[in-house]
């Protein structure tokens, strides 16, 4: 086993941070290409949207179980194998443009990304403690938000210039490059291997899930992220088919949406000393006001500018909420960092996939008005869940 060398720690940490948003790149880079994929593959919009849902579900389900594997067998070798699998599957999607092959490869990619992201989150818990660890954790959602900024922007140009397959060639080459750098500069970081005993692992999972504040926390994360995903699923068809713009415009719109998520995360980091309930409660209230305005103004003025502007406001608040609640969940069980990270990420992704796809199709989102209706439903649910989350969080702090 090759342990991480001390003189490689700095660059290895940069690589770890660079891999945090890989799941976002795997979803967002081809968002502007959804209409083109549907046309080229001769399938419906909902069929091509399922490529994103299958990825998110496999990523979510995998993360729940992966933490214990990483805590038992280490991070490095599994991370390397996962990067190789992700790279190869990206090339397969580009070379075999069949919707069912894409579904299968996206499921494989979800599992591979789960191993990569959970391993890299646990990397920071392995190496850092105290305020330094909290600082890195607070960076996670900010760095993760770089994917929705960069990926669709780049993907829009790739789609416009080379077609939708170029997005997956890009993912394959990017992950292969990082794989080479990981082989050169990274190594194993786990200090204590936990025996892989199903009974003790099941007990650990059970204890975490019985902590109501923790469970409600990743539900809040999932529904908050579902608001972002709903825009990602519906906006390419609204912008390109209803408003008549190109994939490049979709990319710019998604860039602004992602930038808002990042700004929200940065804002949350700067207000770290303000009580959690006050911060999150205010953000949810602001989201509710914004989405009501989004609905009310849609009959008077609905275009790409109003659609993007209201979405930016909602996502800024969403990024703010996500950063705060993610930090709470990840630091809730520090002795089992891999499992906690897996349950948090996995639970959130499963909730996001189910809520976003369900509500997009429930409301048949094809306009600003319908997107607003879907959003207000999710925000009200988040508000109700947060009331109970805060109640159990305070109870846990007292006990």
């Amino acid at each position: 086993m090759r342990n991480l060398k001390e003189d490689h720690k700095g660059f290895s940490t940069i690589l770890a941070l660079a891999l945090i948003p890989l799941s976002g790149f795997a979803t967002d880079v081809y968002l502007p290409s959804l209409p083109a994929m549907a046309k080229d593959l001769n399938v419906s919009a909902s069929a091509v949207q399922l490529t994103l849902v299958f990825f998110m579900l496999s990523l979510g389900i995998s993360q729940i179980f992966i933490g214990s594997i990483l805590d038992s067998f280490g991070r490095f070798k599994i991370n390397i194998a996962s990067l190789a699998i992700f790279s190869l599957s990206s090339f397969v999607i580009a070379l075999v443009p069949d919707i069912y092959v894409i579904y299968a490869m996206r499921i494989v990619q979800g599992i591979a990304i789960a191993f990569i992201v959970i391993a890299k989150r646990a990397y920071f818990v392995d190496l850092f403690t105290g305020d330094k660890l909290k600082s890195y954790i607070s960076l996670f959602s900010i760095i993760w938000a770089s994917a929705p900024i960069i990926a669709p922007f780049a993907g829009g140009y790739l789609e416009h210039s080379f077609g939708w397959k170029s997005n997956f060639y890009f993912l394959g080459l990017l992950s292969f490059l990082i794989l080479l750098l990981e082989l050169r500069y990274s190594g194993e970081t786990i200090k204590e291997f936990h025996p892989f005993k199903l009974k003790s692992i099941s007990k650990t999972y059970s204890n975490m899930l019985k902590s109501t504040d923790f469970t409600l926390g990743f539900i809040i994360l999932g529904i908050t992220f579902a608001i972002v995903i709903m825009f990602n699923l519906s906006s390419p068809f609204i912008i390109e088919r209803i408003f008549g713009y190109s994939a490049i415009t979709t990319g710019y719109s998604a860039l602004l949406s992602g930038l808002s998520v990042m700004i929200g995360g940065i804002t949350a980091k700067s207000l770290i000393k303000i009580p959690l309930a006050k911060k999150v409660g205010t953000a949810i209230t602001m989201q509710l006001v914004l989405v009501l305005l989004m609905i009310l103004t849609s009959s008077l003025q609905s275009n790409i500018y109003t659609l993007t502007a209201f979405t930016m406001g909602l996502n800024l608040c969403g990024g703010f909420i996500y950063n705060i609640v993610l930090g709470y969940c990840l630091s809730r069980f520090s002795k089992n960092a891999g499992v906690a990270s897996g349950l948090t990420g996995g639970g959130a992704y499963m909730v996001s996939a189910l809520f976003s796809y369900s509500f997009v199709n429930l409301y048949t989102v094809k306009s600003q008005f319908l997107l607003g209706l879907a959003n207000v439903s999710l925000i009200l649910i988040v508000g109700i869940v947060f009331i109970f989350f805060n109640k159990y969080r305070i109870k846990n702090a007292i006990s």
Side-chain angles (χ1 to χ4, degrees):
M1 181 181 67
R2 193 186 84 184
N3 291 324
L4 176 65
K5 295 179 180 179
E6 187 62 32
D7 58 342
H8 288 171
K9 185 176 176 181
F11 192 71
S12 180
T13 299
I14 293 173
L15 286 174
L17 290 170
L19 283 169
I20 293 293
L22 186 58
S23 61
F25 268 92
T27 58
D28 294 336
V29 73
Y30 77 106
L31 290 177
S33 299
L34 290 180
M37 287 179 68
K39 182 178 179 181
D40 188 41
L41 298 171
N42 195 28
V43 296
S44 65
S46 60
V48 80
Q49 286 169 343
L50 275 175
T51 62
L52 179 63
V53 175
F54 282 138
F55 172 82
M56 292 183 66
L57 283 175
S58 68
L59 173 58
I61 293 169
S62 301
Q63 285 186 74
I64 293 174
F65 305 103
I66 280 169
S68 56
I69 296 174
L70 293 169
D71 284 345
S72 298
F73 300 103
R75 332 291 195 198
F76 180 65
K77 290 182 179 179
I78 292 175
N79 178 60
I80 292 299
S82 299
L83 277 168
I85 291 169
F86 179 81
S87 179
L88 179 62
S89 60
S90 297
F91 289 121
V92 170
I93 291 173
L95 294 169
V96 188
D98 177 88
I99 191 66
Y100 296 105
V101 172
I102 295 174
Y103 286 159
M105 290 300 101
R106 292 297 281 169
I107 291 170
V108 169
Q109 288 190 329
I111 297 169
I113 288 287
F115 275 110
I116 294 166
V117 173
I118 297 302
K120 289 309 177 183
R121 284 180 186 165
Y123 167 96
F124 291 93
V125 180
D126 291 340
L127 297 182
F128 306 103
T129 57
D131 289 340
K132 196 164 188 179
L133 175 59
K134 288 181 181 179
S135 178
Y136 275 122
I137 288 176
S138 68
L139 281 174
F140 285 176
S141 63
I142 297 172
I143 294 172
W144 169 78
S146 66
I149 296 171
I150 301 170
F153 175 73
Y157 277 99
L158 286 170
E159 151 66 24
H160 185 74
S161 302
F162 306 106
W164 67 266
K165 296 177 187 177
S166 61
N167 294 305
F168 293 97
Y169 283 121
F170 169 77
L171 287 174
L173 290 171
L174 176 65
S175 52
F176 183 70
L177 173 62
I178 296 176
L179 168 63
L180 296 178
L181 293 172
E182 282 277 306
L183 285 169
R184 175 68 179 85
Y185 293 103
S186 290
E188 187 55 67
T189 59
I190 193 170
K191 294 182 177 66
E192 180 183 354
F193 291 86
H194 297 266
F196 192 76
K197 297 179 180 179
L198 288 176
K199 187 175 181 180
S200 60
I201 291 170
S202 299
K203 186 177 180 181
T204 300
Y205 279 111
S206 177
N207 288 337
M208 289 184 181
L209 290 173
K210 285 178 181 177
S211 301
T212 310
D213 57 324
F214 176 77
T215 305
L216 293 177
F218 69 66
I219 290 174
I220 291 171
L221 291 174
I223 301 176
T224 300
F225 188 42
I227 294 171
V228 179
I229 295 298
M230 281 203 306
F231 176 76
N232 292 343
L233 287 172
S234 60
S235 64
F237 297 96
I238 296 173
I239 293 170
E240 295 173 37
R241 291 186 176 177
I242 305 301
F243 294 155
Y245 292 95
S246 70
I248 293 176
T249 304
T250 301
Y252 275 110
S253 182
L255 181 153
L256 293 172
S257 169
L259 181 62
S260 302
V261 175
M262 175 177 279
I263 292 172
I266 294 171
T267 304
K269 190 175 187 299
S270 67
L271 300 175
I272 198 167
K273 294 183 179 180
I274 296 176
L276 184 149
K278 183 177 181 180
K279 291 185 291 188
V280 176
T282 301
I284 293 173
T285 302
M286 290 176 65
Q287 280 190 317
L288 188 58
V289 171
L290 283 168
V291 78
L292 290 174
L293 288 172
M294 182 181 191
I295 294 169
L296 292 171
T297 58
S298 62
S299 60
L300 300 174
Q301 184 72 17
S302 179
N303 53 47
I304 191 171
Y305 303 106
T306 57
L307 176 70
T308 304
F310 281 115
T311 298
M312 288 177 66
L314 291 171
N315 287 357
L316 191 151
C317 295
F320 183 85
I321 296 166
Y322 200 97
N323 183 288
I324 295 166
V325 180
L326 178 66
Y328 179 86
C329 289
L330 292 183
S331 58
R332 181 71 170 79
F333 300 98
S334 58
K335 290 184 179 180
N336 296 98
V339 176
S341 179
L343 274 177
T344 301
Y349 261 89
M350 288 174 64
V351 171
S352 293
L354 293 172
F355 272 85
S356 59
Y357 186 74
S358 297
F359 276 70
V360 161
N361 285 279
L362 176 65
Y363 287 93
T364 318
V365 176
K366 294 179 180 179
S367 66
Q368 177 180 310
F369 175 75
L370 292 171
L371 181 60
L373 288 181
N375 281 333
V376 76
S377 302
L378 291 185
I379 293 166
L380 288 173
I381 295 172
V382 169
I384 294 169
V385 174
F386 178 70
I387 291 170
F388 289 98
F389 164 81
N390 196 51
K391 175 184 174 183
Y392 285 102
R393 180 185 68 88
I394 293 170
K395 183 179 179 181
N396 172 66
I398 293 173
S399 60

